[in-house]
Amino acid sequence: MSSERAVVVGASHAGVQLVTSLRQEGWSGDIVLVGDESALPYQRPPLSKAYLAGKCSLKELAIRSEDFYVKQDVERVTASVQEIDRSAGELVLGTGDRLSYDALALCTGAHPRRLRAEGADLDGVHYLRRSSDVERIREDAIPGRNAVIVGGGYIGLETAASLRSSGLHVTVLEAADRVLERVTAPEVSAFFTRIHQEEGVDVRTNASVEALVGDTRLREVVLASGESVRADFVIVGIGIEPTTELAEAAGLAVDDGILIDAHARTSDPDIVAAGDCTSQDIPRYGRRIRLESVPSAVEQAKVAAATICGKDKEVAALPWFWSDQYDLKLQIAGLNTGYDDIVVSGAPTRDRDFTCYYLRKGEPIAADCVNRPRDFMTTKRMLTQGTAVDMAALTAEVAV
Amino acid sequence: MAVVTFMSHDGEQHEAPLEEGSSLMQVATNNAIPGIDADCGGEAACGTCHVIVDPAWADKVGRSGTEEEEMLSMNPERQPTSRLSCQVKVCESWDGLTVQLPEFQM
Ligand SMILES: Cc1cc2nc3c(=O)[nH]c(=O)nc-3n(C[C@H](O)[C@H](O)[C@H](O)COP(=O)(O)OP(=O)(O)OC[C@H]3O[C@@H](n4cnc5c(N)ncnc54)[C@H](O)[C@@H]3O)c2cc1C
Ligand code: FES
């Protein structure tokens, strides 16, 4: 009998961790990593940060070296998977080839939500998810030009910071009444608005895009209010949608993400999934959540690999996230969903460092830490271990 | 070729070749060393690449910087020679270097 073959679809943070963990967990059969991006799998977070600012090469962003795949005997295939034929245990590739599998993992990630507005298909309208997107943006991002960012989420704000630092005129358009509305407290939104304004970014809230105007190439963005903003190019960052077509067509349960259990199994227990494409019940928060972060992709991938190898691991790590803008490093421990109170340590209306703790029924559940790595590590540790967080001690230390 | 040895908490040893110019974290992840998670990819943002340098090597490898220090300061497994391996650029002349991995990366 030939050796068993594990196939991983999607070659990014989740997929690469999954193949790594498969070897670490003792998978001795073949491993094939299929992805539709031709570059060596690279880290995505720097795309809106150092890579956009031209501070590093794609090669430096490799998640693992080329050599890794050779040494770990992982075959990389560049192709798009068109179909999962579950009854045959085969994948149909875009090339027409079929690839059989004994174990299958879906790590298909996510793609940007499209802007629905007139003119959204003009030249000069960009999205930011892949290295190839950044390469196109960089052609347009000439110092002195006008860049308009649609969406004041983390990616929009990071993009604004990188372009501003490269000498462009930058406007951020946010449809809600504050930036980061979905993810942070008003105090934190106000902080980031202040910083961006001090750096010279035009931050506009309650600004929804009505139309993008130009001949073949974009010239201006017209808002619902009737105002217009000059734009040499636009970057749309209004959220992502999980890439689930493949799973759906194969009959797997999908509801805003491929549904997985604590072992990263899909509704077909022989198929696992990990990363941005998944949605999972998280006991810590008592609800189903689709996380969009590298740490979560890595955690789920480790569990998925263990499951394939017949081991009993469960997704347990505390969600966390980070974002870099200018000289600010924001680190977030935990999720603040359902918070009913906050405690702020520091002076976010004046300084460039502070921590915002989120509480629910008096218990800390998350913290946004700006240039406060110590607060971040302390909170992450306490929330992970489930030890009671002593708010008085946390904030007193800072008040010294 | 120059090698570094990663010693797990329970004494398991894993060797990896030292590639000049890489970070110690990259050396570990490129060789599938278990116990180095490196969630943030080397941004000194996650603290999941903690290693404890053999004290005999501490001067050669260098001490932690301020930001690194903040990330490590609350860590109960922290030792005087603790480093975030993503902040350590390796040299081929470090053949025989040994680093210890903590029980938990967090
Ligand atoms: C600009 C930017 C900045 C970010 N910053 C941060 C940050 O600071 N911190 C953080 O934690 N996270 C950040 N993220 C989010 C993070 O990058 C994602 O959470 C992470 O990439 C998820 O990894 P994944 O492997 O699940 O999916 P993805 O990275 O989306 O990768 C999925 C891969 O699968 C491929 N694929 C999909 N379908 C198929 C198919 N049918 N056949 C073959 N291949 C397929 C895709 O092309 C892609 O290469 C950022 C994302 C972006 C875009
Ligand atoms: S890899 Fe995240 S701190 Fe070193």
Side-chain angles (χ1 to χ4, degrees):
Chain A
M1 199 187 113
S2 65
S3 80
E4 289 200 305
R5 178 190 285 156
V7 177
V8 178
V9 182
S12 184
H13 288 278
V16 170
Q17 182 62 48
L18 218 149
V19 304
T20 307
S21 297
L22 277 175
R23 286 294 181 229
Q24 288 172 340
E25 297 285 358
W27 178 268
S28 57
D30 294 344
I31 300 180
V32 183
L33 178 61
V34 189
D36 58 7
E37 292 184 87
S38 57
L40 195 62
Y42 55 88
Q43 301 175 47
R44 240 171 261 287
L47 293 185
S48 49
K49 309 175 181 95
Y51 190 58
L52 178 59
K55 287 186 198 145
C56 62
S57 66
L58 195 58
K59 196 160 169 258
E60 291 171 86
L61 297 186
I63 300 176
R64 303 278 191 275
S65 62
E66 188 114 49
D67 209 31
F68 163 88
Y69 301 94
V70 179
K71 282 198 222 158
Q72 300 302 321
D73 197 12
V74 172
E75 187 188 347
R76 282 179 50 226
V77 172
T78 303
S80 130
V81 175
Q82 302 285 319
E83 190 193 326
I84 305 169
D85 183 343
R86 277 161 73 189
S87 53
E90 288 180 345
L91 300 179
V92 182
L93 306 185
T95 52
D97 293 333
R98 292 178 83 92
L99 180 66
S100 70
Y101 62 83
D102 299 289
L104 178 63
L106 301 177
C107 301
T108 47
H111 52 271
R113 184 169 296 137
R114 297 270 140 184
L115 179 66
R116 275 180 230 281
E118 199 190 311
D121 52 357
L122 282 170
D123 265 357
V125 179
H126 301 282
Y127 292 84
L128 208 176
R129 182 75 189 177
R130 297 175 160 210
S131 60
S132 51
D133 296 329
V134 180
E135 279 134 33
R136 278 191 296 271
I137 292 170
R138 285 216 295 225
E139 283 174 27
D140 275 350
I142 295 164
R145 280 204 179 165
N146 298 296
V148 173
I149 316 291
V150 180
Y154 290 121
I155 290 185
L157 293 185
E158 287 182 357
T159 303
S162 300
L163 294 177
R164 185 66 200 137
S165 304
S166 309
L168 283 90
H169 301 291
V170 181
T171 305
V172 173
L173 303 177
E174 168 56 55
D177 62 3
R178 58 186 174 95
V179 299
L180 301 175
E181 192 240 9
R182 240 169 16 104
V183 286
T184 65
E187 289 76 358
V188 180
S189 299
F191 170 81
F192 280 100
T193 302
R194 171 175 72 86
I195 296 293
H196 278 276
Q197 286 170 341
E198 285 174 9
E199 298 286 346
V201 172
D202 183 359
V203 181
R204 303 199 193 179
T205 50
N206 296 311
S208 45
V209 173
E210 181 80 18
L212 304 175
V213 181
D215 303 321
T216 55
R217 213 191 139 83
L218 177 76
R219 222 176 33 240
E220 61 182 15
V221 179
V222 177
L223 306 181
S225 64
E227 284 170 280
S228 72
V229 183
R230 229 184 108 189
D232 294 309
F233 65 100
V234 159
I235 300 173
V236 180
I238 54 171
I240 58 172
E241 288 165 356
T243 304
T244 57
E245 292 80 359
L246 202 56
E248 246 167 299
L252 301 180
V254 170
D255 178 8
D256 186 37
I258 304 170
L259 301 187
I260 57 168
D261 66 11
H263 299 280
R265 284 183 300 234
T266 65
S267 58
D268 176 343
D270 293 330
I271 303 178
V272 294
D276 280 14
C277 64
T278 68
S279 179
Q280 189 195 359
D281 274 322
I282 305 193
R284 191 188 290 275
Y285 300 102
R287 62 185 193 94
R288 193 155 59 74
I289 302 178
R290 177 168 60 80
L291 291 166
E292 306 168 355
S293 77
V294 172
S296 161
V298 166
E299 169 78 0
Q300 291 178 340
K302 284 181 185 170
V303 171
T307 298
I308 289 178
C309 295
K311 300 191 180 172
D312 185 24
K313 250 190 200 168
E314 292 197 5
V315 177
L318 180 81
W320 77 276
F321 193 76
W322 79 96
S323 173
D324 296 334
Q325 298 166 42
Y326 309 105
D327 58 334
L328 306 178
K329 180 181 269 175
L330 166 67
Q331 292 162 293
I332 302 168
L335 293 182
N336 64 13
T337 52
Y339 76 92
D340 53 28
D341 197 9
I342 60 164
V343 174
V344 175
S345 149
T349 52
R350 187 191 64 211
D351 296 337
R352 285 173 96 96
D353 71 289
F354 73 98
T355 294
C356 175
Y357 296 98
Y358 295 87
L359 294 86
R360 190 174 53 208
K361 298 191 186 121
E363 284 292 314
I365 52 168
D368 292 346
C369 313
V370 175
N371 287 349
R372 292 258 184 116
R374 187 190 295 254
D375 286 358
F376 169 70
M377 289 306 279
T378 309
T379 314
K380 189 175 171 212
R381 188 168 300 275
M382 289 200 273
L383 293 176
T384 299
Q385 293 171 340
T387 46
V389 181
D390 184 347
M391 282 310 297
L394 269 181
T395 42
E397 193 195 350
V398 183
V400 174
Chain B
M1 192 188 259
V3 296
V4 50
T5 305
F6 293 88
M7 269 224 278
S8 78
H9 178 74
D10 45 21
E12 222 178 281
Q13 300 198 4
H14 292 272
E15 284 189 358
L18 281 167
E19 210 164 302
E20 184 92 31
S22 295
S23 74
L24 189 55
M25 177 277 279
Q26 287 171 317
V27 168
T29 54
N30 284 337
N31 290 280
I33 305 292
I36 301 254
D37 294 351
D39 280 358
C40 76
E43 298 265 317
C46 68
T48 65
C49 66
H50 178 197
V51 299
I52 298 145
V53 178
D54 177 347
W57 283 88
D59 286 333
K60 262 208 181 114
V61 172
R63 306 282 169 165
S64 51
T66 20
E67 190 178 7
E68 215 181 318
E69 200 48 46
E70 293 241 318
M71 290 291 291
L72 289 166
S73 62
M74 303 307 290
N75 195 320
E77 293 189 78
R78 200 239 142 103
Q79 298 290 323
T81 59
S82 282
R83 293 294 311 265
L84 291 179
S85 58
C86 67
Q87 303 302 306
V88 176
K89 280 260 176 294
V90 305
C91 295
E92 271 166 15
S93 64
W94 293 357
D95 187 26
L97 169 68
T98 309
V99 301
Q100 191 101 38
L101 299 174
E103 186 174 7
F104 301 107
Q105 290 285 7
M106 58 164 67

